[in-house]
Amino acid sequence: GDDTFNAMRTFYQLSGAACALVAVGAFFKLVFAGFKENQKTGFLRMTILYLFVFVFQKPKERIGAFLVMLVLGGIAGALLMQSQNV
């Protein structure tokens, strides 16, 4: 490996980690919304397949967190991947 400090790599990694943290927070917001309905829905909500069903049952209440999770999750992945190429 390269032992010199790379400021851009650190910037990409920190930015990616911040975006990932917000995306995970949005995911947990949706999981807690599932647990508010009932325990079965909360556990189902933790699966990726039920994600879309749960969000589009009441889209006005849940679409915001869902979009934040998708967009910032994608940005986090791109930033973290780019940090390996700098």
Side-chain angles (χ1 to χ4, degrees), residues 23-72:
V24 168
F27 173 75
F28 282 123
K29 180 180 189 281
L30 290 171
V31 169
F32 292 143
F35 276 111
K36 281 183 183 178
E37 288 187 11
N38 62 41
Q39 192 174 17
K40 180 181 175 186
T41 304
F43 283 117
L44 278 173
R45 178 55 202 94
M46 288 185 197
T47 65
I48 299 300
L49 296 176
Y50 192 67
L51 169 91
F52 298 101
V53 174
F54 181 73
V55 167
F56 291 109
Q57 283 175 346
K58 295 181 184 175
K60 285 186 180 180
E61 299 172 12
R62 302 172 182 148
I63 196 75
F66 179 70
L67 290 176
V68 165
M69 184 183 72
L70 285 181
V71 171
L72 287 180

Side-chain angles (χ1 to χ4, degrees), residues 13-23 72 76:
Q13 289 173 342
L14 290 175
S15 300
C19 289
L21 187 63
V22 173
L72 287 180

Side-chain angles (χ1 to χ4, degrees), residues 71-83:
V71 171
L72 287 180
I75 291 171
L79 285 169
L80 292 173
M81 197 168 68
Q82 181 64 27
S83 75

